[in-house]
Amino acid sequence: MLSKSKFTRGMNCQKSLWLYVHKKDERIVDEALQTVLARGTNVGELARQYFPNGKMAVLEDYPSFESVKRTQEFINQGVEVIYEATFIFDNTLVAVDILAKVNGKWNLYEVKSTKSVKDQHIIDVAVQYYVIKGSGLPLKNAHVMHLNGDYVRRGEIEIQKLFIIDDGTVQSKIELLQSEIERDIKLLSAIENDNIEPIVKMGSQCTSPYSCDFYDYCNSLLPVVEEESVELSSIPEVQQNEVKLFVNSIQYPLCHLDFETIMPAIPMFDESRPYQQIPFQYSLHSQETQDSEIKHEYYLAENNPNIDPRKALIKQMIAQTKNAKTIFVYYAPFERGRINEMIKDFPEFKKELELIVAKLVDLIIPFKKKFYRTETMKGSSSIKKVLPALNPEFSYSELEIGNGMAASNAFLNLYNCDDKDLIEKTRENLLKYCHLDTLAMVKIFEVLQKV
Ligand code: SF4
């Protein structure tokens, strides 16, 4: 039998549906997908408060015939809000995030953890509408309920402001799809029940709207193309004058700054919005003069969900950078963007933060403009490619936390962790990772100075 998730999976890729049914062991739910799933669950649970005091139809792990029965009982009893209301029709089972009576008419609300209605949501709601109508419930409208990107938390979360319900555009789109849904259910049911793996070419559907959880499996089936092994040269090609101009424009004292951020879908702190990047950590290497000792300092917030990491970070960053004439960052739009948000959210620090923004210099420039390149960088100016090309002894590969997303997830997980050893180990790994980011910048600048 099809379910809503199998239907939407099959609409994106028929092979993905078949693999999900017949070769589930090949599925890889990586960290990024896990984050998306967990985020969806949290947002979905919170959205129920928009229609409070509802009854839950799904008491098992998954929607089932029992939840269909329970839904019908609730409807018969006159319940007006049902969470995970489950229906079956045309060999398809769907559970609706929220089914609510508004002005005496049933409406369905599909909750999404995005900041707008996306194309892939339409098909998702269209199949729910088809099944519910087909099962005999007089359904007035179907809606998508999503996060309001402009909502700023101040105090307790205001559910009615945090979520936005579409204004009817979803309903008009799904009505046009109803006859196709009937045809697609027939087609996908046949694929689900077939014993032969469908042949589907890998393409854009493998990475959009999500990375497919069978990507590695399909990729492993591709014929291996023997690549001629070409030794890439690590000899730098340097535009000396340009590099010298860049280096000579740098004034001491200087420091190297790098932020790590979390991006909670539901704002955790006052003066923050859904998916705002909240800096929780920085690493700072500083040097008074070219010959003086390099000092390292850092900030790593307490993993206490009741404490906004930003205010203490701002105060410490202002104090530790106040003497610098140059503040190096690698890819300035990121750090500049975060500091500009701090100015907006904490205007009491506006003057000092604007001073920091004015001192930012992007260390990526000589590499982006190809003033300094090696073949081993493969045309990239990312610090992960530039660092090993310039300083092969430094590498991120040994680190337990080796990229920004892993750092973000690791810190977010600490908020719900009470294992002291794990907390200590994770904090240590976060410090090592962020430390390497600014140490890398120190080493990269040293190489440029020697040109
Ligand atoms: S990797 Fe691509 S082709 Fe393979 S199942 Fe997923 S979406 Fe389909």
Side-chain angles (χ1 to χ4, degrees):
M1 178 183 294
L2 282 176
S3 63
K4 181 187 78 166
S5 59
K6 282 199 247 171
F7 180 86
T8 49
R9 180 182 280 274
M11 290 302 289
N12 189 49
C13 173
Q14 296 175 0
K15 185 173 178 179
S16 169
L17 166 64
W18 191 89
L19 291 171
Y20 187 79
V21 175
H22 296 272
K23 288 194 175 177
K24 207 166 181 180
D25 288 352
E26 300 290 348
R27 186 175 179 231
I28 296 177
V29 180
D30 63 12
E31 199 175 347
L33 183 56
Q34 271 175 31
T35 307
V36 172
L37 295 175
R39 184 190 294 148
T41 307
N42 292 342
V43 172
E45 284 172 5
L46 187 69
R48 289 177 197 148
Q49 292 178 23
Y50 200 102
F51 295 95
N53 307 318
K55 294 274 189 195
M56 171 56 79
V58 177
L59 300 180
E60 310 76 20
D61 287 345
Y62 295 101
S64 62
F65 290 110
E66 271 308 300
S67 27
V68 175
K69 214 172 109 204
R70 216 172 279 124
T71 301
Q72 202 48 56
E73 282 165 8
F74 289 151
I75 292 170
N76 295 343
Q77 288 161 12
V79 173
E80 299 218 325
V81 177
I82 307 172
Y83 309 133
E84 303 294 331
T86 314
F87 297 87
I88 189 163
F89 174 69
D90 201 4
N91 197 35
T92 308
L93 184 96
V94 300
V96 178
D97 287 334
I98 300 168
L99 183 73
K101 258 192 177 171
V102 178
N103 301 326
K105 309 266 186 209
W106 286 111
N107 283 261
L108 87 78
Y109 299 89
E110 171 67 16
V111 181
K112 294 295 177 194
S113 56
T114 50
K115 292 193 282 185
S116 59
V117 179
K118 309 275 182 198
D119 287 349
Q120 68 267 24
H121 300 160
I122 301 299
I123 197 78
D124 188 333
V125 179
V127 69
Q128 297 181 53
Y129 186 80
Y130 172 83
V131 170
I132 297 177
K133 290 282 264 192
S135 70
L137 187 83
L139 186 62
K140 183 158 188 282
N141 280 326
H143 300 276
V144 168
M145 200 173 155
H146 59 84
L147 292 167
N148 170 9
D150 295 328
Y151 169 70
V152 182
R153 180 172 183 164
R154 292 187 179 110
E156 286 299 309
I157 290 268
E158 298 156 281
I159 298 294
Q160 308 288 328
K161 291 184 181 169
L162 175 65
F163 288 99
I164 291 181
I165 294 175
D166 81 274
D167 54 4
T169 46
V170 169
Q171 177 66 24
S172 54
K173 286 182 183 170
I174 62 164
E175 277 175 6
L176 298 175
L177 290 175
Q178 290 306 294
S179 56
E180 291 173 33
I181 297 280
E182 187 177 356
R183 183 201 62 200
D184 293 333
I185 284 178
K186 278 194 182 55
L187 173 73
L188 296 178
S189 296
I191 287 169
E192 182 184 24
N193 295 319
D194 202 339
N195 290 326
I196 301 168
E197 187 169 326
I199 297 168
V200 176
K201 233 174 134 186
M202 289 186 80
S204 60
Q205 83 280 10
C206 308
T207 48
S208 174
Y210 308 107
S211 277
C212 178
D213 38 6
F214 290 105
Y215 191 94
D216 287 4
Y217 170 78
C218 290
N219 205 33
S220 72
L221 300 180
L222 293 177
V224 180
V225 183
E226 288 291 334
E227 274 186 30
E228 245 183 85
S229 74
V230 182
E231 188 79 13
L232 295 176
S233 167
S234 55
I235 297 169
E237 291 168 37
V238 183
Q239 295 181 31
Q240 285 209 339
N241 287 343
E242 303 297 345
V243 172
K244 281 195 161 110
L245 268 176
F246 177 80
V247 169
N248 292 339
S249 71
I250 301 304
Q251 291 183 294
Y252 282 83
L254 69 78
C255 55
H256 303 261
L257 175 69
D258 181 67
F259 290 144
E260 300 305 330
T261 59
I262 49 171
M263 223 172 61
I266 302 162
M268 292 176 64
F269 311 108
D270 281 0
E271 301 303 330
S272 70
R273 290 156 278 276
Y275 291 106
Q276 183 173 343
Q277 304 219 37
I278 307 284
F280 66 89
Q281 177 179 17
Y282 71 71
S283 173
L284 188 79
H285 276 89
S286 2
Q287 204 176 14
E288 284 293 315
T289 67
Q290 191 170 343
D291 305 316
S292 62
E293 191 195 337
I294 296 168
K295 194 166 81 179
H296 181 248
E297 292 161 306
Y298 66 87
Y299 174 85
L300 177 56
E302 286 308 311
N303 38 291
N304 179 342
N306 299 317
I307 302 174
D308 186 334
R310 293 172 297 173
K311 213 163 187 172
L313 180 148
I314 292 170
K315 284 184 185 165
Q316 188 176 310
M317 178 174 68
I318 290 170
Q320 290 177 340
T321 57
K322 74 171 186 293
N323 295 329
K325 287 195 171 155
T326 301
I327 302 176
F328 268 135
V329 286
Y330 205 93
Y331 186 65
F334 180 74
E335 267 76 16
R336 192 185 298 122
R338 303 298 73 77
I339 299 173
N340 282 331
E341 282 163 3
M342 291 173 195
I343 293 171
K344 192 168 155 196
D345 298 331
F346 301 94
E348 64 270 37
F349 299 109
K350 184 175 191 282
K351 223 172 81 197
E352 296 93 328
L353 289 171
E354 279 179 344
L355 215 56
I356 293 180
V357 171
K359 293 176 187 173
L360 295 181
V361 176
D362 202 336
L363 188 55
I364 204 172
I365 290 169
F367 305 99
K368 197 143 202 144
K369 294 194 171 173
K370 310 277 183 254
F371 297 159
Y372 193 114
R373 63 178 291 273
T374 68
E375 283 182 2
T376 52
M377 289 179 197
K378 295 182 179 171
S380 167
S381 50
S382 144
I383 199 163
K384 305 277 188 299
K385 285 272 185 280
V386 171
L387 178 66
L390 270 64
N391 296 85
E393 70 275 25
F394 289 94
S395 158
Y396 287 84
S397 59
E398 304 289 298
L399 296 178
E400 293 220 16
I401 292 174
N403 61 59
M405 181 190 255
S408 176
N409 285 339
F411 190 75
L412 270 177
N413 288 338
L414 289 186
Y415 282 126
N416 302 314
C417 178
D418 44 21
D419 178 337
K420 277 192 178 149
D421 292 342
L422 183 61
I423 292 173
E424 199 180 311
K425 186 83 200 131
T426 305
R427 292 180 69 86
E428 234 173 67
N429 288 334
L430 283 166
L431 291 176
K432 276 188 200 160
Y433 169 65
C434 200
H435 173 265
L436 182 57
D437 267 345
T438 47
L439 181 62
M441 289 156 66
V442 170
K443 295 297 166 192
I444 289 168
F445 189 55
E446 281 175 4
V447 172
L448 295 180
Q449 285 174 307
K450 286 178 192 148
V451 166

